[in-house]
Amino acid sequence: MKVVVDPDTCLGCGVCESIAPEIFELGEEVYATVILNPVPEQMRDIVDEAIAECPEEAISIVEDEDL
Ligand code: SF4
């Protein structure tokens, strides 16, 4: 699966990075970037947790068949 962060709605709060630092990174940007794409299917649970915890609902999954 591919994971995307909407830079227009992301607050840069860092919650996603603290949940899954192997997937999300704040770095120099004011919004999170996805550093692992595609994300392996076995990491879906942690992606789902990040989606649930993101206060801005800025994270979404794009299924492979949508690409
Ligand atoms: S949890 Fe959501 S709002 Fe916070 S940095 Fe991650 S994508 Fe942005």
Side-chain angles (χ1 to χ4, degrees):
M1 82 192 105
K2 182 172 164 49
V3 177
V4 293
V5 171
D6 181 351
D8 294 328
T9 51
C10 172
L11 276 180
C13 68
V15 168
C16 56
E17 186 182 40
S18 67
I19 292 170
E22 60 276 78
I23 302 174
F24 303 98
E25 183 176 83
L26 260 73
E28 301 289 305
E29 308 290 348
V30 293
Y31 53 87
T33 53
V34 178
I35 54 173
L36 183 67
N37 260 320
V39 177
E41 274 305 313
Q42 58 265 35
M43 297 179 83
R44 182 173 288 264
D45 284 354
I46 200 162
V47 172
D48 284 343
E49 184 181 345
I51 289 171
E53 297 298 325
C54 173
E56 295 299 313
E57 299 183 1
I59 305 168
S60 55
I61 292 174
V62 181
E63 301 294 347
D64 290 340
E65 55 267 27
D66 296 337
L67 295 176

